[in-house]
Structures are given as C-alpha cells and as structure tokens.
Amino acid sequence: MIGRNALCACAAAGLLLCGQPGIAALAGHHAATPDARFAAAFAEVDKWVAAKAFPGAVLAVGQHGRIIALKAFGRMSVAEGAPPMPADAIFDMASLTKVVATTSAAAILYDRGKLDLDAPVMRYLPEFAGTTGHDRITVRHLLTHSSGLKPSGVFWSKAKDRQGILAQIYALPASDAPGAVYKYQDFNIILIGEIVARISGQPLDRFVRREVFGPLGMTDTGFNPRPSARIVPTEQDDVLRHALVRGVVHDENAYLMGGVAGHAGLFSTARDLAKLAQMYLNGGTYRGKRLLRAGTVALFRSAQGIPADSSRALGWDMPPGAGWAGPLASRHAIMHTGFTGTSIYIDPDRDAFVILLTNRVNPTRDNLLINQARPAIHSAVLEALDKGK
C-alpha cells in the first residue's frame, strides 16, 4: 500500500500498460521522482481537499501506455483521526458502473454477435412488453439515454427487493418518442444490465468478472466487495441504512437490488480503472489479449447523434455536452462521472486518460463543490499533458 500522498510518477518507473511482454509493474513500495509537469494539477487537488469538496482523492494519469502519475490526497473520511487516503483505495464507483461494467459487457456481447443494438428491448426482456410505446424502444435508445421513458418517482421507496425495482421500470410510461429527447436516467442502464444477464445466462457481476475484469487483471474491481480497510466510506445514511455506508453500494436502488445493478454497485481502484482505460485506447486489446474488435471500440466511443443535439456515445458521454472535463477536453474523448465523486476520462487524441476518484458524499451528498473541482482539476491535468508534448 502506498502511504500518505505517495506519488508514483515519471516514465522511468511508471506502470506500463501497453501490453508488451515482460513489462514492468508499478513499484507499489517505491516512490519515483515526482514529475514536475503535474505540480500545478496536484496543487489543484490539494486546494479542493482544503476547501472540503471531498475528504480525499486519488488521481491517476496515463499516456502512451504508461501511468505517469498516481497520487493520493487527503484522508479517507471527514472523521477525526481518519487515516490518510492510500493510492490503492477502493471507491464506490456509483455511475461509473454504467460504463466500466455494463457498457463494456454490452460491447462484448455486440462484438460476439449476440446483442443487436437496434433490436427492441422486449426481444430480450419480455416483461418490458405490454406498455404503450415500449415496442419502439431499442437497445441503442437505452445506451444513448433517449428511450423516452418517464420516471415515476423514487423506485426504492416503493420496493423491498430487486424484483420490486424492476417491476416498476418494466411498467414505466413512454412520454416521448424513442430517439427524440435525451434524458440521462439510471433505469436505461439498469435495463441494459438485465439484458446482459438474459443473453449471457448469468448475473451481470459474474459475466463482467469473467469477461472484463479477469482478462484485464482488475483484481480490486467487483460488486459486493469483501471487507477491507482500503474501502473508502461514503455517506452517513439516516433514511434507509441508518448507518455510515462503507463497503456496500451507496445507491439506494442498487442496494435493494442486492448490490448488483447495471447503473451502480461496482467498486474499484484508480490502478484497475487505468487498465480498462488503456484497453479502450488500445482499440480493444490489453497485454496481448483482445477483448473487443477495434471496430466495436470505435463504434461505442462514437457520438450517436440520438437525438441530433446529444453528445452521447453508446453508454459513454462525450464533450462538449459535459462541461466537467473542462474547456481543454478533446471532442473525441469518452468519459463518465459517478454520484459519489468519481470520474473517468479517456482521450484518444492525446492517447491519455485521467481518473479522479473522490468520496465527495462523505459525510453528505449535499456537498456539491465537486461540480467546481472536476473541471478545475481536469484542466490542470490536460494543460500539463499538453506542455509535455
């Protein structure tokens, strides 16, 4: 475990991600010489820790197949005497689950010819049939958040378990024509997670462990993690759990669904996410293993134009629709955020990625300073990368 504010950076001792035989591993107990390029970016993160935007954070930056910066900041929680944030801290990914797990799973099934993006959802989920307008909603509409489905209140407040949540989603009214309106909604990707399970014949968590996380060597990534001192606490929940949430999913719907859902429930580390980001930059390969064809990666990271003014790719968001990545973000980048304070940014133009993990909901979700911190931090990182050209 890397100690407080320990930094592993610089080309000579960084983690190689390009997948060449005999590559070096990141020396977890060896601090490399800090890369001066990122001094301003690190200072920016420190500034937001001091401003109490989040108790602590881990920032990972990679370029050209190598992690060039991996640094922890602050502490694991706001509690007095909380330990320093370790660089291998395990965070609740929140909505990063949508892209890291569920979208990647959908891409694999599409790649194998088992998922038709333009098939009606009810082909895979017969329970989705029977409501006016549902027959016109396709898998692609779900992945682009253009299904037209209208929310019907807070699911978890009217359910006791997974089936209670799903029953409400299957019966949602279609208020807009599919493809006509973009509206980001968790239930679109919850349905994708259920489709993955139906096609594969196994729960989403088992499928992604075998087909994504295992091949990539993402050993700290999964749903319903085992207890560990490295897991970062999230919110003090005085409504549903009546406890400080730690080691179980923060999202209430995912919690009632047993901790495994298409939209939330995944836990991971910055180092593990770096492997997935590199796979996307490599066009579907990692360490000599091909998970996806290059054409599939290109498709899933391309804006779909559904509707015409939307910047959504398949599952992923893209600039300029999301201002959180800052004005220097590449328009070809794919990215996503998580409610708990997580984000991933993958930039093919710079051949780089930026992963920022925080627990900004500790101790309460009412702290919204992350909305200012994210663009400031990303701008500082991207500026540093551009200076290093």
Side-chain angles (χ1 to χ4, degrees), residues 273-293:
L273 292 182
K275 298 173 183 179
L276 180 109
Q278 191 62 48
M279 184 272 290
Y280 275 94
L281 287 174
N282 290 348
T285 64
Y286 182 76
R287 294 182 68 106
K289 299 177 183 177
R290 179 164 290 282
L291 275 73
L292 295 166
R293 290 177 295 174

PDB file of all heavy atoms in Angstrom, residues 273-293:
ATOM      1  N   LEU A 273      -8.884   0.879 -12.908  1.00  0.00           N
ATOM      2  CA  LEU A 273      -9.565   1.627 -13.968  1.00  0.00           C
ATOM      3  C   LEU A 273      -8.600   2.028 -15.076  1.00  0.00           C
ATOM      4  O   LEU A 273      -8.986   2.133 -16.246  1.00  0.00           O
ATOM      5  CB  LEU A 273     -10.236   2.871 -13.392  1.00  0.00           C
ATOM      6  CG  LEU A 273     -11.423   2.635 -12.453  1.00  0.00           C
ATOM      7  CD1 LEU A 273     -12.005   3.968 -12.010  1.00  0.00           C
ATOM      8  CD2 LEU A 273     -12.501   1.776 -13.100  1.00  0.00           C
ATOM      9  N   ALA A 274      -7.341   2.231 -14.720  1.00  0.00           N
ATOM     10  CA  ALA A 274      -6.333   2.557 -15.728  1.00  0.00           C
ATOM     11  C   ALA A 274      -6.211   1.446 -16.770  1.00  0.00           C
ATOM     12  O   ALA A 274      -5.985   1.706 -17.950  1.00  0.00           O
ATOM     13  CB  ALA A 274      -4.983   2.803 -15.055  1.00  0.00           C
ATOM     14  N   LYS A 275      -6.365   0.216 -16.327  1.00  0.00           N
ATOM     15  CA  LYS A 275      -6.264  -0.921 -17.254  1.00  0.00           C
ATOM     16  C   LYS A 275      -7.408  -0.911 -18.255  1.00  0.00           C
ATOM     17  O   LYS A 275      -7.212  -1.140 -19.454  1.00  0.00           O
ATOM     18  CB  LYS A 275      -6.231  -2.221 -16.466  1.00  0.00           C
ATOM     19  CG  LYS A 275      -5.039  -2.336 -15.530  1.00  0.00           C
ATOM     20  CD  LYS A 275      -5.129  -3.561 -14.645  1.00  0.00           C
ATOM     21  CE  LYS A 275      -3.947  -3.613 -13.662  1.00  0.00           C
ATOM     22  NZ  LYS A 275      -4.025  -4.788 -12.757  1.00  0.00           N
ATOM     23  N   LEU A 276      -8.621  -0.648 -17.773  1.00  0.00           N
ATOM     24  CA  LEU A 276      -9.759  -0.579 -18.677  1.00  0.00           C
ATOM     25  C   LEU A 276      -9.605   0.593 -19.640  1.00  0.00           C
ATOM     26  O   LEU A 276      -9.856   0.454 -20.846  1.00  0.00           O
ATOM     27  CB  LEU A 276     -11.054  -0.436 -17.884  1.00  0.00           C
ATOM     28  CG  LEU A 276     -12.289  -0.367 -18.792  1.00  0.00           C
ATOM     29  CD1 LEU A 276     -13.109  -1.649 -18.693  1.00  0.00           C
ATOM     30  CD2 LEU A 276     -13.150   0.835 -18.467  1.00  0.00           C
ATOM     31  N   ALA A 277      -9.173   1.748 -19.131  1.00  0.00           N
ATOM     32  CA  ALA A 277      -8.976   2.908 -19.991  1.00  0.00           C
ATOM     33  C   ALA A 277      -7.958   2.606 -21.087  1.00  0.00           C
ATOM     34  O   ALA A 277      -8.146   2.974 -22.252  1.00  0.00           O
ATOM     35  CB  ALA A 277      -8.518   4.104 -19.148  1.00  0.00           C
ATOM     36  N   GLN A 278      -6.894   1.909 -20.714  1.00  0.00           N
ATOM     37  CA  GLN A 278      -5.866   1.591 -21.701  1.00  0.00           C
ATOM     38  C   GLN A 278      -6.385   0.627 -22.751  1.00  0.00           C
ATOM     39  O   GLN A 278      -6.032   0.730 -23.930  1.00  0.00           O
ATOM     40  CB  GLN A 278      -4.632   1.010 -21.016  1.00  0.00           C
ATOM     41  CG  GLN A 278      -3.428   0.906 -21.925  1.00  0.00           C
ATOM     42  CD  GLN A 278      -2.971   2.266 -22.435  1.00  0.00           C
ATOM     43  OE1 GLN A 278      -2.824   3.206 -21.662  1.00  0.00           O
ATOM     44  NE2 GLN A 278      -2.762   2.375 -23.738  1.00  0.00           N
ATOM     45  N   MET A 279      -7.246  -0.297 -22.348  1.00  0.00           N
ATOM     46  CA  MET A 279      -7.848  -1.214 -23.310  1.00  0.00           C
ATOM     47  C   MET A 279      -8.627  -0.445 -24.365  1.00  0.00           C
ATOM     48  O   MET A 279      -8.527  -0.731 -25.569  1.00  0.00           O
ATOM     49  CB  MET A 279      -8.758  -2.214 -22.587  1.00  0.00           C
ATOM     50  CG  MET A 279      -9.365  -3.287 -23.497  1.00  0.00           C
ATOM     51  SD  MET A 279     -10.936  -2.804 -24.267  1.00  0.00           S
ATOM     52  CE  MET A 279     -12.033  -2.820 -22.848  1.00  0.00           C
ATOM     53  N   TYR A 280      -9.390   0.564 -23.935  1.00  0.00           N
ATOM     54  CA  TYR A 280     -10.140   1.370 -24.899  1.00  0.00           C
ATOM     55  C   TYR A 280      -9.190   2.172 -25.797  1.00  0.00           C
ATOM     56  O   TYR A 280      -9.421   2.298 -27.008  1.00  0.00           O
ATOM     57  CB  TYR A 280     -11.106   2.306 -24.180  1.00  0.00           C
ATOM     58  CG  TYR A 280     -12.430   1.641 -23.846  1.00  0.00           C
ATOM     59  CD1 TYR A 280     -12.640   1.043 -22.613  1.00  0.00           C
ATOM     60  CD2 TYR A 280     -13.457   1.588 -24.777  1.00  0.00           C
ATOM     61  CE1 TYR A 280     -13.845   0.423 -22.301  1.00  0.00           C
ATOM     62  CE2 TYR A 280     -14.673   0.978 -24.489  1.00  0.00           C
ATOM     63  CZ  TYR A 280     -14.857   0.397 -23.245  1.00  0.00           C
ATOM     64  OH  TYR A 280     -16.059  -0.227 -22.951  1.00  0.00           O
ATOM     65  N   LEU A 281      -8.112   2.713 -25.229  1.00  0.00           N
ATOM     66  CA  LEU A 281      -7.146   3.447 -26.047  1.00  0.00           C
ATOM     67  C   LEU A 281      -6.422   2.530 -27.027  1.00  0.00           C
ATOM     68  O   LEU A 281      -6.048   2.955 -28.125  1.00  0.00           O
ATOM     69  CB  LEU A 281      -6.122   4.148 -25.143  1.00  0.00           C
ATOM     70  CG  LEU A 281      -6.612   5.362 -24.362  1.00  0.00           C
ATOM     71  CD1 LEU A 281      -5.515   5.853 -23.411  1.00  0.00           C
ATOM     72  CD2 LEU A 281      -7.037   6.487 -25.300  1.00  0.00           C
ATOM     73  N   ASN A 282      -6.232   1.274 -26.634  1.00  0.00           N
ATOM     74  CA  ASN A 282      -5.533   0.313 -27.492  1.00  0.00           C
ATOM     75  C   ASN A 282      -6.427  -0.266 -28.584  1.00  0.00           C
ATOM     76  O   ASN A 282      -5.983  -1.116 -29.357  1.00  0.00           O
ATOM     77  CB  ASN A 282      -4.996  -0.855 -26.655  1.00  0.00           C
ATOM     78  CG  ASN A 282      -3.841  -0.471 -25.756  1.00  0.00           C
ATOM     79  OD1 ASN A 282      -3.270   0.607 -25.889  1.00  0.00           O
ATOM     80  ND2 ASN A 282      -3.494  -1.349 -24.837  1.00  0.00           N
ATOM     81  N   GLY A 283      -7.683   0.167 -28.639  1.00  0.00           N
ATOM     82  CA  GLY A 283      -8.579  -0.378 -29.651  1.00  0.00           C
ATOM     83  C   GLY A 283      -9.077  -1.763 -29.330  1.00  0.00           C
ATOM     84  O   GLY A 283      -9.394  -2.536 -30.247  1.00  0.00           O
ATOM     85  N   GLY A 284      -9.154  -2.092 -28.025  1.00  0.00           N
ATOM     86  CA  GLY A 284      -9.760  -3.364 -27.621  1.00  0.00           C
ATOM     87  C   GLY A 284      -8.797  -4.413 -27.109  1.00  0.00           C
ATOM     88  O   GLY A 284      -9.228  -5.504 -26.740  1.00  0.00           O
ATOM     89  N   THR A 285      -7.485  -4.111 -27.065  1.00  0.00           N
ATOM     90  CA  THR A 285      -6.527  -5.091 -26.577  1.00  0.00           C
ATOM     91  C   THR A 285      -5.848  -4.606 -25.307  1.00  0.00           C
ATOM     92  O   THR A 285      -5.768  -3.405 -25.051  1.00  0.00           O
ATOM     93  CB  THR A 285      -5.428  -5.385 -27.619  1.00  0.00           C
ATOM     94  OG1 THR A 285      -4.667  -4.189 -27.845  1.00  0.00           O
ATOM     95  CG2 THR A 285      -6.033  -5.864 -28.926  1.00  0.00           C
ATOM     96  N   TYR A 286      -5.345  -5.574 -24.525  1.00  0.00           N
ATOM     97  CA  TYR A 286      -4.572  -5.239 -23.331  1.00  0.00           C
ATOM     98  C   TYR A 286      -3.684  -6.425 -22.990  1.00  0.00           C
ATOM     99  O   TYR A 286      -4.156  -7.555 -22.895  1.00  0.00           O
ATOM    100  CB  TYR A 286      -5.497  -4.925 -22.147  1.00  0.00           C
ATOM    101  CG  TYR A 286      -4.745  -4.530 -20.893  1.00  0.00           C
ATOM    102  CD1 TYR A 286      -4.180  -3.261 -20.789  1.00  0.00           C
ATOM    103  CD2 TYR A 286      -4.561  -5.437 -19.858  1.00  0.00           C
ATOM    104  CE1 TYR A 286      -3.464  -2.897 -19.664  1.00  0.00           C
ATOM    105  CE2 TYR A 286      -3.847  -5.073 -18.724  1.00  0.00           C
ATOM    106  CZ  TYR A 286      -3.306  -3.807 -18.627  1.00  0.00           C
ATOM    107  OH  TYR A 286      -2.582  -3.457 -17.514  1.00  0.00           O
ATOM    108  N   ARG A 287      -2.397  -6.145 -22.843  1.00  0.00           N
ATOM    109  CA  ARG A 287      -1.400  -7.172 -22.517  1.00  0.00           C
ATOM    110  C   ARG A 287      -1.523  -8.403 -23.431  1.00  0.00           C
ATOM    111  O   ARG A 287      -1.467  -9.548 -22.998  1.00  0.00           O
ATOM    112  CB  ARG A 287      -1.515  -7.587 -21.052  1.00  0.00           C
ATOM    113  CG  ARG A 287      -1.166  -6.483 -20.076  1.00  0.00           C
ATOM    114  CD  ARG A 287      -1.243  -6.979 -18.640  1.00  0.00           C
ATOM    115  NE  ARG A 287      -0.187  -7.944 -18.370  1.00  0.00           N
ATOM    116  CZ  ARG A 287       0.893  -7.680 -17.640  1.00  0.00           C
ATOM    117  NH1 ARG A 287       1.051  -6.495 -17.095  1.00  0.00           N
ATOM    118  NH2 ARG A 287       1.808  -8.604 -17.442  1.00  0.00           N
ATOM    119  N   GLY A 288      -1.682  -8.127 -24.708  1.00  0.00           N
ATOM    120  CA  GLY A 288      -1.722  -9.193 -25.698  1.00  0.00           C
ATOM    121  C   GLY A 288      -3.051  -9.905 -25.829  1.00  0.00           C
ATOM    122  O   GLY A 288      -3.189 -10.802 -26.660  1.00  0.00           O
ATOM    123  N   LYS A 289      -4.042  -9.505 -25.038  1.00  0.00           N
ATOM    124  CA  LYS A 289      -5.368 -10.116 -25.105  1.00  0.00           C
ATOM    125  C   LYS A 289      -6.334  -9.159 -25.799  1.00  0.00           C
ATOM    126  O   LYS A 289      -6.357  -7.977 -25.490  1.00  0.00           O
ATOM    127  CB  LYS A 289      -5.893 -10.422 -23.706  1.00  0.00           C
ATOM    128  CG  LYS A 289      -5.044 -11.401 -22.917  1.00  0.00           C
ATOM    129  CD  LYS A 289      -5.614 -11.581 -21.519  1.00  0.00           C
ATOM    130  CE  LYS A 289      -4.741 -12.513 -20.688  1.00  0.00           C
ATOM    131  NZ  LYS A 289      -5.265 -12.643 -19.297  1.00  0.00           N
ATOM    132  N   ARG A 290      -7.109  -9.699 -26.714  1.00  0.00           N
ATOM    133  CA  ARG A 290      -8.122  -8.867 -27.370  1.00  0.00           C
ATOM    134  C   ARG A 290      -9.473  -9.134 -26.734  1.00  0.00           C
ATOM    135  O   ARG A 290      -9.995 -10.233 -26.785  1.00  0.00           O
ATOM    136  CB  ARG A 290      -8.183  -9.140 -28.877  1.00  0.00           C
ATOM    137  CG  ARG A 290      -9.259  -8.298 -29.573  1.00  0.00           C
ATOM    138  CD  ARG A 290      -9.089  -8.255 -31.084  1.00  0.00           C
ATOM    139  NE  ARG A 290      -7.916  -7.488 -31.505  1.00  0.00           N
ATOM    140  CZ  ARG A 290      -7.858  -6.156 -31.551  1.00  0.00           C
ATOM    141  NH1 ARG A 290      -8.904  -5.428 -31.173  1.00  0.00           N
ATOM    142  NH2 ARG A 290      -6.765  -5.555 -31.946  1.00  0.00           N
ATOM    143  N   LEU A 291     -10.030  -8.093 -26.136  1.00  0.00           N
ATOM    144  CA  LEU A 291     -11.360  -8.187 -25.549  1.00  0.00           C
ATOM    145  C   LEU A 291     -12.434  -7.763 -26.539  1.00  0.00           C
ATOM    146  O   LEU A 291     -13.540  -8.295 -26.527  1.00  0.00           O
ATOM    147  CB  LEU A 291     -11.454  -7.321 -24.286  1.00  0.00           C
ATOM    148  CG  LEU A 291     -10.978  -7.945 -22.977  1.00  0.00           C
ATOM    149  CD1 LEU A 291      -9.449  -8.044 -22.956  1.00  0.00           C
ATOM    150  CD2 LEU A 291     -11.466  -7.140 -21.781  1.00  0.00           C
ATOM    151  N   LEU A 292     -12.095  -6.776 -27.386  1.00  0.00           N
ATOM    152  CA  LEU A 292     -13.046  -6.234 -28.343  1.00  0.00           C
ATOM    153  C   LEU A 292     -12.344  -5.975 -29.664  1.00  0.00           C
ATOM    154  O   LEU A 292     -11.157  -5.628 -29.689  1.00  0.00           O
ATOM    155  CB  LEU A 292     -13.633  -4.909 -27.836  1.00  0.00           C
ATOM    156  CG  LEU A 292     -14.504  -4.948 -26.578  1.00  0.00           C
ATOM    157  CD1 LEU A 292     -14.709  -3.539 -26.046  1.00  0.00           C
ATOM    158  CD2 LEU A 292     -15.827  -5.623 -26.865  1.00  0.00           C
ATOM    159  N   ARG A 293     -13.074  -6.115 -30.752  1.00  0.00           N
ATOM    160  CA  ARG A 293     -12.525  -5.724 -32.045  1.00  0.00           C
ATOM    161  C   ARG A 293     -12.402  -4.207 -32.101  1.00  0.00           C
ATOM    162  O   ARG A 293     -13.163  -3.473 -31.471  1.00  0.00           O
ATOM    163  CB  ARG A 293     -13.433  -6.212 -33.174  1.00  0.00           C
ATOM    164  CG  ARG A 293     -13.431  -7.727 -33.374  1.00  0.00           C
ATOM    165  CD  ARG A 293     -14.404  -8.127 -34.453  1.00  0.00           C
ATOM    166  NE  ARG A 293     -15.784  -7.816 -34.063  1.00  0.00           N
ATOM    167  CZ  ARG A 293     -16.832  -7.945 -34.861  1.00  0.00           C
ATOM    168  NH1 ARG A 293     -16.669  -8.336 -36.117  1.00  0.00           N
ATOM    169  NH2 ARG A 293     -18.046  -7.663 -34.421  1.00  0.00           N
TER     170      ARG A 293
END
